[in-house]
Amino acid sequence: MSCFAIPDPFVWDETFKVFYDKLDTEHKGLFQGIFNVAANPSDAGALATLKQAVADHFASEEAMMKAGNYPDYTTHKAMHDDFTGTLNKVATPVSNDTIQFAKNWLVNHIKNTDFKYKDKL
């Protein structure tokens, strides 16, 4: 698995495009959510908003995978569940290590894992 660099500033760009408008829009929201938490690690509202955006996106993406009979659904969902489990344990103030973990996870999950479903959903 390749390891991709975290963009600076931490914003979605065209290199993250999965070519499903709904998912690309949701990915942009995840980037913004992590950016907002990084900007103010003590903001419980920003953290709650990120957690909700992650839950909503994973539900949406998993529904598309199921509808498209995506063959790697189970493995992909397990990655989502692991990340959600970790994120749900996070409280404010959010540590820099946790923010870096979330950034790294999102960047590499999109480019290594989500890219596999291009043209398959």
Side-chain angles (χ1 to χ4, degrees):
M1 177 188 311
S2 298
C3 188
F4 293 90
I6 297 170
D8 186 23
F10 189 71
V11 293
W12 185 94
D13 64 38
E14 294 287 320
T15 67
F16 293 97
K17 196 169 192 159
V18 294
F19 300 98
Y20 297 97
D21 290 339
K22 178 176 179 58
L23 299 180
D24 285 330
T25 298
E26 291 175 358
H27 285 157
K28 290 175 191 176
L30 298 181
F31 270 84
Q32 187 62 51
I34 294 170
F35 181 89
N36 291 344
V37 170
N40 191 350
S42 295
D43 185 344
L47 179 59
T49 298
L50 172 61
K51 289 178 180 183
Q52 188 61 57
V54 167
D56 292 347
H57 168 64
F58 287 173
S60 174
E61 188 174 70
E62 290 165 12
M64 287 179 70
M65 287 182 203
K66 281 182 124 177
N69 293 313
Y70 183 62
D72 204 27
Y73 169 80
T74 303
T75 302
H76 199 122
K77 182 177 181 345
M79 291 177 188
H80 287 173
D81 292 346
D82 286 345
F83 182 75
T84 300
T86 299
L87 184 62
N88 285 340
K89 294 175 188 170
V90 174
T92 57
V94 181
S95 72
N96 189 53
D97 286 348
T98 299
I99 292 166
Q100 288 305 112
F101 163 77
K103 288 178 176 181
N104 185 61
W105 188 92
L106 182 61
V107 165
N108 285 285
H109 181 76
I110 292 171
K111 290 193 173 186
N112 284 312
T113 306
D114 289 354
F115 277 15
K116 292 177 184 175
Y117 64 55
K118 287 182 181 181
D119 300 320
K120 295 181 182 173
L121 301 184

